[in-house]
Amino acid sequence: MDRNEMSLRGKAGQWRRTARFGATAALALFFLFFGGCGNGKQEESRTAYYFDTVVSLRLYGVKDEKVFEGCFAICEELERTFSRTREDSELYAVNHRSSDTVEVSEELSELIKAGLSYYNITDGAFDITVAPLSEIWDFKSREGKVPSEEILQEALDRVDASKVRLEGRTLTFASPDTMLELGAVVKGYAADRLKEYLEEQGVTAGTINLGGNVLTIGNKPDGTNWKIGLQKPFGDSGEIIETVEVSGQSVVSSGVYERYFRKDGQLYHHILDARTGYPVENGLWQVSIRSEKSLAGDLLSTVCFLLGPEKGMAYVESLEGVEASFIDEDLQITHSSGW
């Protein structure tokens, strides 16, 4: 195994966890890093497991192990806030509430607000109350089963973000059956928090990788940009279809080909349209977003996928500081004007 590959085996100085974080709407893609770093700065790498994915840190010029410990302490804190399945988490308590009105933390309110803001933009396709649908689909095994119409409708009846109201930190539910799922935004938020902490610790060069959500710190130590390879849809593991250069930016992708199964010749993947309960079908296989903040990339990669090729690209073009690469089922690539 190359020294830059991620491993969960218990090497000295590494962290290892097996906590499960629940289904995520944004896909964990493989991003490959190219080129040496030079300038004599030593690379230090650590990995851990949070948010149902591998968290990989590659930092340069860091000599104090406490910097890495601080990063994983942040991950632990965020998992205790946002996990839908950990019984000691704040979100779990919200989903198993005894009252229709709940006071939530500043962090939880921030992510709920971000998630709710895209409900109207997508006409309800992006919905953070999608948890009941996520639970009836099994995309972790290739032996998946299509839910019956009865089961699907029962889940759909419990999905409706319009029944959630957030005022400040006060969260009000119109239905006791409503459950929140923040998997589509948590990794991006966590990456931004980690970068903020690392810059406070004086780190000027490095990469933060949360299962394919990549956020860079500055340039490489030799002054050049980071080069990130995007996985080729349905290609061999590590096979890239294009590369993008970034400096201090984030690259996040959502696609159909990591969590899926085929049944009777039909492809079923994990990006669900909350209006129908079924995987979205619009000819796209992958959407990648380049942005300053990883939270924006995490949200927009899924949102633009749900919007489809035309509306999704038009939406990206309306935003400042955001660029996109869309790959369709014919492996044709379309870029936004500033990609």
Side-chain angles (χ1 to χ4, degrees), residues 275-291:
R275 298 166 300 188
T276 66
Y278 285 98
V280 64
E281 293 184 58
N282 56 22
L284 286 176
W285 271 0
Q286 178 175 299
V287 172
S288 299
I289 299 290
R290 189 179 79 215
S291 57

Side-chain angles (χ1 to χ4, degrees), residues 288-291 316-317 319 321-325 335-339:
S288 299
I289 299 290
R290 189 179 79 215
S291 57
V316 167
E317 294 288 11
L319 303 173
V322 176
E323 303 297 341
S325 170
H335 292 146
S336 60
S337 57
W339 177 263

Side-chain angles (χ1 to χ4, degrees), residues 37 41 52 58 128 153 167 194 200 239 267 273 310:
C37 286
K41 283 193 176 182
D52 198 29
R58 297 175 60 208
I128 61 171
Q153 189 57 54
E167 296 178 339
L194 290 173
E200 289 173 353
E239 184 179 1
L267 173 70
D273 185 330
E310 291 80 19

Side-chain angles (χ1 to χ4, degrees), residues 257-276:
Y257 52 88
E258 283 296 327
R259 293 182 180 179
Y260 72 93
F261 64 86
R262 294 184 186 274
K263 199 74 172 179
D264 299 325
Q266 176 71 33
L267 173 70
Y268 296 91
H269 59 82
H270 75 293
I271 304 179
L272 301 176
D273 185 330
R275 298 166 300 188
T276 66

Side-chain angles (χ1 to χ4, degrees), residues 3 7 18 21 30 35 51 82 109 111 119 127 146 183 265 293 337:
R3 67 190 180 96
S7 171
T18 57
F21 192 69
F30 293 97
F51 320 123
F82 300 121
S109 67
L111 283 203
Y119 176 74
D127 192 321
V146 180
K293 296 291 186 179
S337 57

Side-chain angles (χ1 to χ4, degrees), residues 49 59 75 103 146 162-163 207 209 227 241 243 292 312 316:
Y49 196 78
L59 309 178
C75 291
E103 291 293 318
V146 180
S162 68
K163 294 181 179 179
T207 61
N209 188 337
K227 293 182 179 179
I241 192 168
T243 62
E292 295 300 320
V316 167

Side-chain angles (χ1 to χ4, degrees), residues 133-194:
L133 288 173
S134 300
E135 290 177 347
I136 65 172
W137 287 92
D138 175 19
F139 296 109
K140 292 186 179 294
S141 72
R142 297 295 163 85
E143 304 297 325
K145 181 180 179 181
V146 180
S148 69
E149 287 296 326
E150 181 181 357
I151 291 175
L152 195 67
Q153 189 57 54
E154 183 179 314
L156 274 173
D157 290 342
R158 299 165 58 200
V159 176
D160 187 354
S162 68
K163 294 181 179 179
V164 180
R165 187 172 75 253
L166 179 68
E167 296 178 339
R169 290 170 50 189
T170 302
L171 191 60
T172 304
F173 295 89
S175 169
D177 294 328
T178 303
M179 297 178 65
L180 302 180
E181 164 63 71
L182 298 174
V185 293
V186 168
K187 290 195 296 181
Y189 181 80
D192 290 334
R193 279 283 307 274
L194 290 173

